Amino acid sequence: MVLSPNEGPPPSAWQLEARLQQEGLTEVRWWSNPPGDRYGSHDHPFHKVLYCAEGSIVFHLPHGDVELRPGDRLDIEPGTPHAATVGRDGVRCVEAPRAA
């Protein structure tokens, strides 16, 4: 897991999507959840690259919790168990899998 906090003003939605595409990531997917929603523990067989676009979300990872706010990036390695709790203002994120 690698957290890359945003520095400066949060990027726009199109800028976040462009960042993923510049890395050659083509399966870009947007999602959002209302305040307090939770994702139970799960993992993925692929490397997930995720940006928070609006609101906040806390990812619960084996080595501790990580909060994402607008512009923050989280890379989750394949097979890493994680859960998540959406912040008080809801959340909107964009993600894409990185091919092995």
Side-chain angles (χ1 to χ4, degrees), residues 2-95:
V2 175
L3 171 67
S4 301
N6 182 57
E7 295 183 15
S12 69
W14 72 266
Q15 287 172 317
L16 293 175
E17 192 164 332
R19 287 179 185 180
L20 293 171
Q21 292 171 345
Q22 287 170 352
E23 291 184 41
L25 305 178
T26 57
E27 296 179 45
V28 175
R29 182 174 80 90
W30 285 92
W31 53 269
S32 61
N33 291 91
D37 263 11
R38 295 177 180 263
Y39 288 92
S41 185
H42 64 283
D43 62 43
H44 304 282
F46 53 85
H47 178 129
K48 179 188 279 199
V49 180
L50 179 141
Y51 281 100
C52 178
E54 298 172 18
S56 66
I57 188 167
V58 175
F59 279 84
H60 311 292
L61 299 153
H63 300 299
D65 291 350
V66 175
E67 182 176 21
L68 272 67
R69 296 198 168 277
D72 292 347
R73 174 182 169 142
L74 183 65
D75 284 67
I76 303 175
E77 295 296 325
T80 302
H82 57 284
T85 304
V86 176
R88 67 179 183 170
D89 295 323
V91 73
R92 183 170 180 235
C93 292
V94 62
E95 67 178 51

